[in-house]
Amino acid sequence: MKREYLKPDCVTVASLLSACASNGALCKGEQLHSYVIKAGISSDMIVEGALLDLYVNCSDIKTAHEMFLTAQTENVVLWNVMLVAFGKLDNLSESFRIFRQMQIEGLIPNQFTYPSILRTCTSVGALDLGEQIHTQVIKTGFQFNVYVCSVLIDMYAKHGKLDTAHVILRTLTEDDVVSWTALISGYAQHNLFAEALKHFKEMLNRGIQSDNIGFSSAISACAGIQALNQGRQIHAQSYVSGYSEDLSIGNALVSLYARCGRIKEAYLEFEKIDAKDSISWNGLISGFAQSGYCEDALKVFAQMNRAKLEASFFTFGSAVSAAANIANIKQGKQIHAMIIKRGFDSDIEVSNALITFYAKCGSIEDARKEFCEMPEKNDVSWNAMITGYSQHGYGNEAVNLFEKMKQVGEMPNHVTFVGVLSACSHVGLVTKGLGYFESMSKEHGLVPKPAHYACVVDLISRAGFLSRARKFIEEMPIEPDATIWRTLLSACTVHKNVEVGEFAAHHLLELEPEDSATYVLLSNMYAVSGKWDCRDQTRQMMRNRGVKKEPGRSWIEVKNSVHAFYVGDRLHPLADKIYEFLAELNKKAAEIGYVQDRYSLLNDVEQEQKDPTVYIHSEKLAITFGLLSLSDTVPIHVMKNLRVCKDCHSWIKFVSKISNRAIIVRDAYRFHHFEGGICSCKDYW
DNA sequence: ATAGGGTTAG
């Protein structure tokens, strides 16, 4: 009698088990399991389901599977739990086998069965199978069930079928935040931020209260388009709804401020979060990196390491990208070492970031190595490598890789074509480039964007076919933007074509009257064509409009610090030595045929009156300093904010020969590799 | 049930 009194009922045991499951308390759960066996209630359907759920939630899938195989088969819960278990492992084939088997055994899937299998389809990208299951959902009458539909919406939205997701949401008769949020975040995931916000607004207008995740998604959508004020408003709304302390909203806010370049506010929001997780940190790091505050991003990354926090794939991806954008070779390599140590080098996205990092830092060989050693590649990997080759002027390598990409069945996208078209342009492969441009729409179903038209204009005009380029612009189906006109004007300067050049400049000055580069290009074009009156007029116009030329600046990293040089500056502590060595180099260069280009200083509208022997371009200073300070086994890496002028280009070729050194210059446009008196661009740039 | 970070170009 007493024993009977003490024996807990099955429902109590099951709820204890599920408490263990949600807290990951496997030991306590196992004790309960022994008790269950002793008490003879192990075949109770509720207890049985709770036990299986315990092992699945504690990731002991093996024990769970064994239990499942010996249990009674008429309990649908067991099948559902197993679907979740294999879903956790992204094991779709086993999930699907169970899904089919349960129906063969005569069991009817319920509102928990469909979400479990559909989530697995979503996560492994098996949309076709998901669609089949969708058909069955309709047949079995679950098409109005919010649990099932929210997962269907999520699946279609995540895979870009936003119209289908939208239709499912519209057919729902019940108001459901989760279904709405699934669609809203789906739009955001495909960069349709305005559409996401539109639906968020509509949801509220319909009187559906948002939850924390809805607010978080909406704020993230604002972050995506740098809509600072709208994001703040939504934050205020979330405050009213009582979600002010929520982690997901806090993280979204950090990301919003960081991506809007509001460094201080981002830190402030970050500090407000009590239990910061890796996403909080990463919101700062990636947000700073994306808004161009790469130094800050790297600082936060270092801070995170000092706090002994484990960085994730995401964090490493962001940090490498930050190092790439500012070409911080040293820190980037340190991060790479950490990545290897932590075994994250097997992650595709991290490797993709590394390819870009090495390419942007001028080490195309290291980029290639990273690319070749990847066990698995995706489209971004190919794009990063093709673009890297292109930026370094290795047009043929870029084209070959593009052909190989198609051969292995990887689909080229818009980015691929920007890379391959600019690669053709860099080496003058006009016919080939035009063929690729044609193939974009004809073979790959891609609609060319302004950037692609700009590439084609560059391709044609740089090769000297200026009238043809002009005709192409006039006949193309989109409105030409400033980039396109600038490209044309730049080519007209190279080819001394005043007529087309004036035409381009006219449009460019209308679109961007404040851009100093236009005036500089135009006055150079007049100068090289001997039209001095026109050149003077252009300068006068520039002065009248108060437009200032961006000063040329070059920088080089020596012994962990960056040394920056402006045109003709003597600010460096070693200035005397640098100028002395420079004179020596000039003398040696002249002995083997270097002649200063008389147009070289025409770029420098303001300072043309000055003595050209004093007035030295910044890249010459940086390279001279590099030769003085670096051991002669390492290549000289120099970055420049503007394009290298013709005179400096020729000078560097001579210097690479005299000094027997590899000199790699990254200018505003591309990389130049100088070695043994020649440049990788083959003087075509 | 629904999210919040990374990678490619111009």
Side-chain angles (χ1 to χ4, degrees):
Chain A
M1 280 300 137
K2 198 178 169 196
R3 198 168 144 260
E4 276 298 312
Y5 177 71
L6 281 173
K7 183 178 160 187
D9 67 299
C10 293
V11 177
T12 310
V13 173
S15 56
L16 282 172
L17 280 167
S18 83
C20 292
S22 50
N23 292 315
L26 186 58
C27 278
K28 276 271 183 301
E30 280 170 340
Q31 281 170 18
L32 280 164
H33 191 174
S34 324
Y35 168 78
V36 159
I37 293 167
K38 264 191 249 157
I41 52 171
S42 62
S43 56
D44 177 272
M45 276 176 62
I46 299 171
V47 173
E48 202 176 30
L51 268 172
L52 194 62
D53 190 44
L54 166 82
Y55 288 111
V56 169
N57 263 309
C58 295
S59 297
D60 189 349
I61 310 293
K62 202 169 156 256
T63 309
H65 202 195
E66 279 163 14
M67 243 194 90
F68 173 72
L69 293 174
T70 54
Q72 329 172 31
T73 51
E74 66 269 24
N75 189 349
V76 182
V77 175
L78 301 186
W79 296 82
N80 288 346
V81 173
M82 283 320 289
L83 284 177
V84 172
F86 287 111
K88 271 177 124 179
L89 301 171
D90 274 346
N91 188 340
L92 181 64
S93 57
E94 196 59 24
S95 282
F96 192 61
R97 205 184 59 78
I98 287 175
F99 180 70
R100 256 197 329 219
Q101 188 63 34
M102 72 181 279
Q103 291 169 81
I104 291 168
E105 305 232 357
L107 290 154
I108 299 160
N110 64 17
Q111 63 169 357
F112 297 105
T113 315
Y114 290 117
S116 304
I117 182 96
L118 285 168
R119 260 195 294 284
T120 312
C121 293
T122 307
S123 99
V124 303
L127 194 62
D128 45 344
L129 190 54
E131 281 171 336
Q132 276 177 39
I133 294 167
H134 186 186
T135 315
Q136 198 186 327
V137 163
I138 296 169
K139 269 193 211 150
T140 50
F142 278 100
Q143 73 269 37
F144 301 114
N145 180 293
V146 290
Y147 283 77
V148 177
C149 283
S150 62
V151 182
L152 278 171
I153 292 169
D154 184 49
M155 177 182 81
Y156 285 117
K158 277 208 171 82
H159 290 97
K161 295 212 162 191
L162 289 153
D163 293 341
T164 313
H166 192 245
V167 169
I168 299 172
L169 181 76
R170 295 292 170 192
T171 53
L172 267 184
T173 45
E174 204 178 314
D175 285 347
D176 180 46
V177 209
V178 175
S179 296
W180 279 84
T181 309
L183 185 67
I184 291 166
S185 48
Y187 281 124
Q189 280 151 3
H190 292 88
N191 297 329
L192 300 166
F193 302 111
E195 198 67 16
L197 290 166
K198 202 181 98 190
H199 279 81
F200 181 70
K201 221 172 169 180
E202 193 193 330
M203 178 181 87
L204 297 184
N205 286 342
R206 284 171 173 248
I208 303 171
Q209 289 279 318
S210 175
D211 62 5
N212 54 340
I213 294 173
F215 282 123
S216 164
S217 309
I219 296 171
S220 300
C222 294
I225 43 173
Q226 278 86 263
L228 186 58
N229 286 328
Q230 200 176 356
R232 281 183 173 139
Q233 276 171 26
I234 295 170
H235 177 217
Q237 285 172 300
S238 77
Y239 214 89
V240 175
S241 307
Y243 288 114
S244 59
E245 305 278 295
D246 188 83
L247 176 63
S248 55
I249 294 177
N251 286 345
L253 271 175
V254 168
S255 173
L256 171 72
Y257 285 120
R259 287 179 74 168
C260 291
R262 301 295 182 111
I263 307 291
K264 271 194 185 158
E265 282 147 299
Y267 272 122
L268 219 66
E269 287 300 331
F270 178 76
E271 285 309 324
K272 277 189 206 161
I273 302 172
D274 289 328
K276 301 175 185 60
D277 62 4
S278 68
I279 294 168
S280 322
W281 284 91
N282 212 39
L284 270 189
I285 295 170
S286 70
F288 286 169
Q290 281 173 36
S291 56
Y293 293 88
C294 295
E295 283 89 358
D296 294 85
L298 291 175
K299 250 186 246 168
V300 178
F301 180 72
Q303 203 184 329
M304 186 178 176
N305 285 315
R306 273 198 302 278
K308 302 237 183 297
L309 292 165
E310 291 277 307
S312 67
F313 297 103
F314 292 111
T315 319
F316 278 115
S318 305
V320 171
S321 163
N325 288 337
I326 52 171
N328 189 330
I329 303 174
K330 187 176 163 261
Q331 203 160 355
K333 282 191 172 170
Q334 279 173 358
I335 299 170
H336 190 181
M338 293 168 73
I339 288 169
I340 293 171
K341 212 167 141 190
R342 300 273 296 280
F344 286 155
D345 50 340
S346 55
D347 184 74
I348 295 186
E349 275 75 21
V350 169
S351 295
N352 291 346
L354 282 167
I355 294 171
T356 305
F357 165 74
Y358 282 116
K360 282 196 174 163
C361 289
S363 313
I364 194 71
E365 261 315 303
D366 289 315
R368 205 181 62 87
K369 208 171 144 220
E370 193 63 38
F371 176 78
C372 292
E373 286 174 2
M374 286 175 82
E376 257 186 286
K377 302 173 176 66
N378 62 15
D379 54 342
V380 176
S381 323
W382 291 88
N383 290 352
M385 198 61 228
I386 290 171
T387 305
Y389 276 141
S390 166
Q391 286 166 338
H392 284 265
Y394 297 130
N396 292 313
E397 283 81 353
V399 166
N400 291 341
L401 199 61
F402 175 61
E403 290 298 337
K404 201 168 166 208
M405 176 182 184
K406 291 189 286 187
Q407 256 174 40
V408 301
E410 192 66 73
M411 292 282 274
N413 61 23
H414 286 102
V415 179
T416 321
F417 278 98
V418 173
V420 75
L421 290 173
S422 65
C424 291
S425 181
H426 283 313
V427 289
L429 293 168
V430 180
T431 313
K432 192 157 217 155
L434 288 173
Y436 285 146
F437 179 70
E438 284 276 300
S439 78
M440 266 188 88
S441 46
K442 284 196 177 145
E443 288 169 34
H444 302 281
L446 296 167
V447 180
K449 294 184 177 189
H452 303 105
Y453 287 101
C455 286
V456 174
V457 171
D458 194 45
L459 182 73
I460 307 172
S461 64
R462 197 191 292 268
F465 307 113
L466 295 163
S467 308
R468 205 171 142 197
R470 176 181 170 164
K471 196 163 165 265
F472 177 83
I473 295 174
E474 284 167 341
E475 288 172 359
M476 66 190 195
I478 59 156
E479 214 34 56
D481 62 9
T483 309
I484 287 176
W485 293 121
R486 198 176 299 119
T487 304
L488 184 62
L489 175 58
S490 163
C492 290
T493 306
V494 173
H495 296 287
K496 305 181 187 174
N497 187 322
V498 175
E499 193 205 333
V500 180
E502 282 179 337
F503 174 75
H506 170 76
H507 287 280
L508 193 48
L509 288 171
E510 242 169 41
L511 286 171
E512 289 187 352
E514 302 290 308
D515 184 19
S516 63
T518 310
Y519 300 89
V520 174
L521 275 173
L522 187 59
S523 79
N524 276 353
M525 183 189 74
Y526 285 134
V528 295
S529 317
K531 296 204 153 205
W532 305 105
D533 288 355
C534 296
R535 183 196 61 167
D536 293 342
Q537 277 170 23
T538 308
R539 286 180 187 192
Q540 194 54 48
M541 182 162 66
M542 191 174 177
R543 268 190 289 271
N544 291 346
R545 296 187 181 177
V547 179
K548 287 262 183 303
K549 179 183 180 286
E550 187 184 349
R553 191 167 73 97
S554 297
W555 57 98
I556 181 169
E557 196 182 303
V558 172
K559 292 190 189 82
N560 304 340
S561 54
V562 174
H563 301 254
F565 297 87
Y566 285 90
V567 257
D569 89 33
R570 285 191 164 265
L571 302 169
H572 197 275
L574 296 175
D576 287 347
K577 267 197 162 167
I578 294 169
Y579 278 84
E580 197 181 301
F581 189 49
L582 178 67
E584 210 176 295
L585 287 171
N586 282 338
K587 199 171 151 241
K588 281 188 190 164
E591 278 167 13
I592 56 168
Y594 165 68
V595 184
Q596 193 178 38
D597 187 296
R598 70 190 189 93
Y599 293 118
S600 66
L601 297 179
L602 294 172
N603 263 328
D604 313 299
V605 180
E606 310 293 327
Q607 290 98 337
E608 61 142 1
Q609 311 297 343
K610 290 186 186 167
D611 177 2
T613 55
V614 176
Y615 184 60
I616 315 273
H617 277 169
S618 58
E619 54 269 51
K620 287 187 180 173
L621 296 174
I623 289 168
T624 308
F625 173 67
L627 289 168
L628 271 176
S629 340
L630 292 166
S631 97
D632 47 4
T633 53
V634 297
I636 310 276
H637 283 271
V638 167
M639 327 271 175
K640 182 168 187 196
N641 64 337
L642 305 173
R643 284 174 72 165
V644 182
C645 80
K646 208 172 165 192
D647 174 58
C648 287
H649 192 265
S650 147
W651 182 86
I652 303 166
K653 285 198 287 184
F654 281 102
V655 170
S656 74
K657 192 167 186 183
I658 298 164
S659 60
N660 198 22
R661 294 279 278 266
I663 301 172
I664 298 154
V665 179
R666 185 186 87 175
D667 71 6
Y669 188 58
R670 54 165 289 164
F671 282 92
H672 296 265
H673 289 247
F674 299 91
E675 204 160 1
I678 52 171
C679 177
S680 60
C681 78
K682 301 184 187 79
D683 300 340
Y684 185 91
W685 88 93

